[in-house]
């Protein structure tokens, strides 16, 4: 395989989507193993990402975007939604299990699909709906053995549901402006606004912003690099090419990858529920991405033929 083919393979949207989902799968494990306030960790993961990205953005491009005030307001709204998502979802892991939080997060493609219908007139065909149902069923089975019923767990599940609604709206807002603004500039703006939302929350609650040891700062840095730079940032890049619904379906696979990572990194066993649910989730996702990949390849070939002509 020559270098051009390797480059094409690595830049394929679904390969990038897998890398990003793998990256965000690590975040839930990292959050569970830290004692720092989740809102502080979320704030620093976004702010540090902004600092890392700033030197690589050609700000002169801003004048060439030609965006209206309404479109800039959507970008601002997306940043607020991202901050609220991290605030609610990361906090949910304090009260409920990763499995319970993940199965609620798996409802995201359903919310995005509904939003896409009203905002972009995107209609889901029967195959897409069937694939989504299979994948969702798998996620429910994965979490079934770990879902706890208590007032605290229900509160955590409620936080996760609110966080899922916010991230669904965030992806829809991003898709709305994805063709008008560079993904690098967009990511920096929404990360900065999202981090500011969490900063305000931390100040209101009098959380310390600096009194943390070196291991905590390493944790903040890893959250910025792995689930944010290789996760959320790639999601923002892919909004233009594959859309919010496809990204959301991919995120259903996050619990499966989290289970595999826990098995490999933490030595945790895989239960029968997790195995059966994981296979169903992968089956549903596999069918969905197979159908999408065929459509993507046809569109790519058509564009190449048009360019050659």
């Amino acid at each position: 395989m020559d270098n051009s083919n390797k480059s094409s393979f690595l830049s394929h949207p679904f390969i990038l989507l897998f890398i990003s989902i793998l990256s965000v799968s690590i975040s839930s494990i990292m959050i569970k193993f830290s004692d720092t306030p989740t809102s502080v960790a979320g704030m620093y993961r976004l702010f540090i990402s902004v600092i890392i990205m700033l030197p690589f953005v050609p700000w002169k491009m801003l004048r060439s975007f030609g965006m209206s005030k309404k479109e800039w307001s959507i970008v601002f709204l997306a940043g607020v939604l991202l901050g609220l998502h991290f605030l609610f979802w990361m906090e949910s892991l304090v009260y409920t299990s990763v499995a319970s939080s993940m199965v609620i997060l798996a409802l995201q493609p359903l919310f995005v699909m509904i939003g896409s219908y009203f905002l972009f007139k995107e209609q889901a065909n029967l195959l897409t709906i069937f694939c989504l149902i299979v994948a969702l069923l798998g996620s429910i089975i994965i979490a079934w053995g770990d879902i706890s019923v208590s007032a605290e767990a229900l509160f955590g599940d409620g936080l996760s549901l609110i966080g899922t609604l916010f991230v669904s709206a965030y992806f829809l807002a991003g898709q709305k402006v994805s063709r008008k603004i560079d993904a690098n500039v967009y990511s920096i703006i929404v990360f900065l606004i999202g981090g500011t939302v969490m900063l305000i929350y931390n100040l209101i609650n009098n959380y310390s912003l600096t009194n943390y040891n070196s291991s905590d700062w390493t944790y903040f840095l890893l959250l910025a690099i792995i689930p944010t730079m290789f996760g959320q940032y790639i999601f923002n890049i892919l909004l233009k090419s594959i859309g919010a619904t496809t990204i959301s379906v991919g995120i259903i696979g996050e619990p499966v990858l989290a289970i595999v990572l826990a098995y490999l990194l933490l030595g945790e066993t895989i239960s029968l529920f997790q195995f059966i649910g994981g296979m169903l989730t992968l089956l549903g996702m596999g069918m969905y991405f197979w159908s999408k990949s065929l459509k993507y390849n046809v569109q790519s070939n058509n564009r190449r033929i048009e360019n050659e002509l």
Side-chain angles (χ1 to χ4, degrees):
M1 180 181 293
D2 59 30
N3 290 334
S4 61
N5 287 335
K6 287 181 180 179
S7 177
S8 177
F9 174 78
L10 291 174
S11 62
H12 192 286
F14 296 139
I15 299 300
L16 290 175
L17 182 60
F18 174 77
I19 293 172
S20 59
I21 295 169
L22 178 62
S23 299
V24 297
S25 299
I26 298 174
S27 64
S28 57
I29 297 175
M30 295 174 67
I31 293 166
K32 274 289 188 180
F33 278 85
S34 174
D35 294 327
T36 58
T38 55
S39 56
V40 173
M43 177 190 72
Y44 277 119
R45 75 180 277 184
L46 292 174
F47 281 161
I48 293 173
S49 297
V50 170
I51 293 171
I52 294 172
M53 295 175 66
L54 272 175
F56 304 100
V57 175
W59 290 102
K60 293 179 181 179
M61 293 174 59
L62 283 173
R63 296 180 180 178
S64 63
F65 292 153
M67 291 174 58
S68 64
K69 290 183 179 179
K70 180 181 179 181
E71 288 166 333
W72 279 116
S73 67
I74 292 174
V75 174
F76 178 83
L77 175 63
V80 173
L81 291 169
L82 180 64
L84 291 173
H85 160 64
F86 280 136
L87 191 61
F88 281 88
W89 180 73
M90 292 177 71
E91 188 67 15
S92 76
L93 294 172
V94 175
Y95 299 96
T96 191
S97 67
V98 171
S100 296
S101 184
M102 286 295 187
V103 75
I104 294 171
L105 192 63
L107 295 173
Q108 181 181 324
L110 177 63
F111 298 144
V112 172
M113 194 177 292
I114 294 172
S116 295
Y117 174 77
F118 288 103
L119 290 175
F120 311 116
K121 308 303 179 184
E122 294 180 3
Q123 296 186 358
N125 55 38
L126 290 177
L127 177 60
T128 297
I129 295 173
F130 175 75
C131 295
L132 180 58
I133 291 173
V134 172
L136 284 173
L137 180 61
S139 296
I140 293 171
I141 293 174
I142 288 173
W144 191 260
D146 293 327
I147 293 178
S148 57
V149 180
S150 66
E152 186 176 271
L154 288 175
F155 177 69
D157 293 341
L159 292 177
S160 181
L161 178 61
I162 296 171
T164 301
L165 288 168
F166 280 134
V167 77
S168 301
Y170 162 73
F171 279 129
L172 289 169
Q175 182 173 333
K176 187 76 173 176
V177 296
S178 62
R179 297 188 181 279
K180 286 292 192 73
I181 185 171
D182 177 77
N184 292 353
V185 176
Y186 172 78
S187 296
I188 285 181
I189 294 173
V190 296
F191 289 171
L192 182 61
I193 295 172
T196 302
V197 169
M198 304 190 83
L199 172 61
I200 295 171
Y201 177 84
N202 292 329
L203 292 174
I204 291 173
N205 287 277
N206 294 317
Y207 290 150
S208 173
L209 301 181
T210 57
N211 189 26
Y212 300 101
N213 57 41
S214 58
S215 63
D216 293 325
W217 290 104
T218 302
Y219 163 64
F220 298 153
L221 178 62
L222 290 175
L223 277 177
I225 294 173
I226 301 174
T228 310
M229 299 292 296
F230 286 95
Q232 292 293 334
Y233 171 56
I234 294 179
F235 288 154
N236 292 339
I237 293 175
L238 294 175
L239 281 171
K240 183 177 180 179
S241 58
I242 62 177
T245 300
T246 300
I247 292 173
S248 297
V249 172
I251 292 174
I252 296 179
E254 190 175 335
V256 180
L257 289 173
I259 290 168
V260 173
L261 289 171
Y263 172 77
L264 295 175
L265 301 177
L266 307 176
E268 294 185 3
T269 58
I270 298 177
S271 68
L272 182 61
F273 276 114
Q274 290 173 334
F275 179 79
I276 295 174
M279 290 298 101
L280 269 178
T281 299
L282 293 177
L283 175 63
M285 290 176 59
M287 291 189 297
Y288 177 87
F289 284 115
W290 174 75
S291 64
K292 286 291 181 180
S293 182
L294 290 178
K295 183 179 179 181
Y296 173 81
N297 289 334
V298 169
Q299 291 175 342
S300 297
N301 289 333
N302 289 340
R303 283 196 296 267
R304 187 172 66 251
I305 291 172
E306 289 175 0
N307 291 333
E308 290 175 354
L309 294 176

